[in-house]
Amino acid sequence: TAGNYYCTDSANHIIRKISADGVTVFAGTAGSSGITDDSGSAARFNGPWGIACDGSSLYVTDNGSGKLRKITSTGVVTPYTDASVVCTAPTGVAVVGTDLYFVCEGKRIMKTTTTATSTAADWAGAGATVQIGSSASNADYSSTTIAVATIPFTGVRGICVIRVGPAVDTIIVPDTGSHRLLAFSTTSTGLPAASGMGSVFAGGTGNAGDVVGTQGAQASAGNTASSLKFSSPNGCASNAGTGAVTTGLWVSDAGNNK
């Protein structure tokens, strides 16, 4: 926000701010964990993990407390989801317009809004009205599109959004166990596109590896997105929001230390 960057420091239980003046603690106190809603250093977090911004406020998944929490531009921390929302060990979080998506238990994605509600409902994964994920074992996704009810998430931590056209957003989910990036449309009902399918965005046949493409030649023979190889990808980020179309997607490839 306003040219500043923010990140979670899970081990120290704080939110850091990175600006032209250096790195400071924006909320929480280093080394002090807890679940205290307050301002600045008086607030307490318990292993904060994911962070996202809607342009004015920050949204943080507090892994140890199982809560999604909101931080205003002045550093005031409040609970964002109420007691009815059960989300064990939340990790990744992403803002898409006025919608907010966050990962629970490594196998569910819940959805809420950045406007007037603090409730949330399953959007993908075990328990969702239309199930996208489940606790099923590792799967070898051999097709380019996957039926909604048969996608087993195999250890999801991160989530991000890319813009594929003006106001057309796609959610990217690194699926750690299958070594792939899965893509879901945010149009219509918020579930995958009208066909009721999710798609493999990048990654090979579900087997770990370390195969990268040649810059500028991703569409050439043997160098397509499906020929890329990841090893336990667990996070992603993009420059969505800086233009009409996303031009950069960054993935943390844990198994390859890249």
Side-chain angles (χ1 to χ4, degrees):
T1 61
N4 300 315
Y5 295 90
Y6 298 84
C7 67
T8 57
D9 186 346
S10 297
N12 284 311
H13 310 292
I14 55 176
I15 310 302
R16 294 188 181 275
K17 176 182 177 179
I18 306 170
S19 68
D21 297 324
V23 180
T24 57
V25 176
F26 184 63
T29 296
S32 297
S33 64
I35 312 173
T36 303
D37 297 311
D38 212 319
S39 298
S41 61
R44 292 291 182 270
F45 298 89
N46 190 356
W49 189 292
I51 190 167
C53 179
D54 66 0
S56 58
S57 298
L58 300 173
Y59 300 88
V60 173
T61 50
D62 201 20
N63 188 267
S65 71
K67 300 293 183 182
L68 180 66
R69 303 174 74 182
K70 179 179 180 178
I71 311 176
T72 67
S73 59
T74 58
V76 177
V77 181
T78 57
Y80 195 69
T81 48
D82 61 27
S84 68
V85 178
V86 178
C87 179
T88 304
T91 51
V93 58
V95 174
V96 183
T98 58
D99 292 325
L100 194 64
Y101 301 83
F102 55 105
V103 178
C104 305
E105 300 104 32
K107 63 180 181 181
R108 281 192 304 142
I109 298 173
M110 297 194 79
K111 177 184 177 181
T112 183
T113 175
T114 61
T115 53
T117 181
S118 59
T119 60
D122 282 335
W123 180 76
T129 302
V130 179
Q131 186 170 311
I132 298 177
S134 72
S135 58
S137 60
N138 193 353
D140 180 3
Y141 304 135
S142 59
S143 61
T144 56
T145 56
I146 308 164
V148 168
T150 61
I151 300 177
F153 286 141
T154 57
V156 176
R157 292 185 179 88
I159 185 172
C160 62
V161 60
I162 61 173
R163 178 151 288 185
V164 295
V168 180
D169 295 314
T170 295
I171 290 177
I172 300 297
V173 177
D175 193 36
T176 303
S178 71
H179 314 293
R180 291 190 169 186
L181 306 185
L182 303 180
F184 301 97
S185 169
T186 62
T187 58
S188 187
T189 62
L191 292 166
S195 61
M197 309 291 275
S199 65
V200 175
F201 183 76
T205 57
N207 299 314
D210 184 9
V211 179
V212 298
T214 302
Q215 186 174 358
Q218 282 78 1
S220 64
N223 198 26
T224 61
S226 62
S227 71
L228 305 181
K229 291 284 188 179
F230 298 97
S231 180
S232 301
N234 62 5
C236 62
S238 78
N239 61 359
T242 61
V245 178
T246 297
T247 57
L249 175 65
W250 291 263
V251 178
S252 57
D253 197 16
N256 285 316
N257 299 310
K258 294 182 177 180

